[in-house]
């Protein structure tokens, strides 16, 4: 078994604007995000880490660099770990209508309708194929190692039950993974399945870093509510 620490990236501008961000929208960390990443690095400082992986988006890479630096480890960037490809939603203005569509599609994936796709984007089988391939590469020839993966709440919530089948799927419905939260799993390197140890733990954050911005917006606070 490998011990995998999934870390959601620290705060970036899109967390504040509620923009969808897969490829074209790509912000660096905010000042609070830097503080969150530093405190997360402090948490891992006394844990032996064997490798640190990240999505190629700036918010994930920058968070991972803070974590990896004290361990003198490189950050291995993998395209597989980008956020969900939500297609045209990334190219359109933020709206209640588009966020409602996002919520409906991701809820359908958990409710047994995996083929439903984002317009010009991914469905769940396409997402799962690329994320699983990333996990397979990350775990290849590794056993009894401690791995950190800095990625995105959207795809992680959507796929967690595939990696940890015993996890309560109701935990994931409407789940709001916190910036720099840590989810710990024990993953068998050949089957890529295992056990969920803890979920969405952000007790290591304090002060201004602990002032959490919700990932999912209130629809009535966005344009185009009707």
């Amino acid at each position: 078994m490998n011990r995998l620490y999934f870390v959601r990236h620290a705060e970036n501008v899109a967390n504040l604007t509620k923009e969808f961000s897969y490829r074209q929208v790509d912000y660096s960390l905010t000042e609070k995000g830097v503080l969150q990443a530093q405190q997360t690095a402090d948490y891992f400082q006394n844990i032996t880490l064997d490798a640190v992986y990240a999505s190629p988006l700036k918010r994930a890479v920058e968070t991972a660099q803070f974590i990896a630096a004290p361990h003198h480890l490189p950050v291995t960037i993998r395209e597989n770990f980008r956020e969900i490809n939500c297609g045209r939603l990334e190219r359109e203005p933020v709206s209640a209508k588009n966020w409602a569509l996002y919520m409906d599609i991701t809820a359908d994936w958990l409710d047994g309708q995996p083929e439903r796709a984002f317009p010009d984007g991914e469905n769940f089988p396409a997402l799962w194929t690329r994320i699983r391939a990333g996990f397979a590469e990350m775990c290849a020839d590794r056993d009894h190692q401690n791995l950190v993966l800095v990625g995105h709440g959207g795809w992680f919530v959507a796929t967690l039950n595939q990696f940890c089948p015993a996890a309560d799927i109701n935990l994931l419905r409407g789940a709001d993974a916190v910036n720099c939260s840590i989810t710990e799993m024990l993953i068998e390197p050949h089957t890529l399945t295992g056990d969920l140890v803890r979920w969405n733990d952000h007790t290591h954050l304090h002060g201004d870093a602990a002032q959490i911005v919700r990932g999912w917006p209130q629809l009535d606070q966005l344009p185009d509510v009707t």
Side-chain angles (χ1 to χ4, degrees), residues 4 38 103-104 126 140 194:
L4 175 63
Q38 290 171 335
M103 294 173 184
D104 285 346

Side-chain angles (χ1 to χ4, degrees), residues 136-210:
E137 181 181 356
M138 181 172 59
C139 292
D141 301 319
R142 296 185 187 276
D143 200 5
H144 299 95
Q145 293 195 11
N146 294 331
L147 312 175
V148 169
L149 167 57
V150 182
H152 306 279
W155 71 249
F156 185 69
V157 169
T159 61
L160 177 60
N161 195 244
Q162 304 296 315
F163 292 112
C164 300
D168 182 2
I169 197 168
N170 291 314
L171 184 75
L172 307 178
R173 298 182 192 279
D176 199 2
V178 169
N179 289 119
C180 271
S181 62
I182 299 170
T183 296
E184 185 177 348
M185 301 179 285
L186 295 174
I187 297 292
E188 206 283 327
H190 301 294
T191 65
L192 298 181
T193 58
D195 299 316
L196 181 63
V197 177
R198 57 186 169 130
W199 153 255
N200 198 26
D201 183 0
H202 50 282
T203 54
H204 60 286
L205 300 179
H206 53 87
D208 290 343

Side-chain angles (χ1 to χ4, degrees), residues 1 9 59 74 77 84 94 96 98 101 124 126-127 129 139 149 157 168 170 181 184 186 202 214-215 223:
M1 288 281 204
H9 60 79
R59 57 195 185 272
I77 299 170
I84 295 170
V94 175
N98 282 347
L101 178 62
F124 183 77
L127 173 68
T129 296
C139 292
L149 167 57
V157 169
D168 182 2
N170 291 314
S181 62
E184 185 177 348
L186 295 174
H202 50 282
R214 294 190 65 231

Side-chain angles (χ1 to χ4, degrees), residues 7-75:
V7 179
R8 188 188 174 210
H9 60 79
E11 184 185 272
N12 77 114
V13 174
N15 293 132
L16 308 178
T17 62
K18 304 308 178 190
E19 293 171 86
F20 295 104
S21 173
Y22 163 69
R23 186 179 298 276
Q24 298 179 47
V25 176
D26 189 12
Y27 294 114
S28 289
L29 301 181
T30 62
E31 183 177 347
K32 186 204 294 182
V34 169
L35 186 59
Q36 291 171 337
Q38 290 171 335
Q39 291 181 7
T40 305
D42 290 343
Y43 171 84
F44 282 110
Q45 192 160 3
N46 295 320
I47 297 175
T48 299
L49 299 182
D50 297 288
V52 177
Y53 284 76
S55 154
L57 291 166
K58 292 176 183 176
R59 57 195 185 272
V61 174
E62 292 170 9
T63 304
Q65 288 170 337
F66 278 102
I67 295 170
H71 302 271
H72 307 288
L73 290 171
V75 175

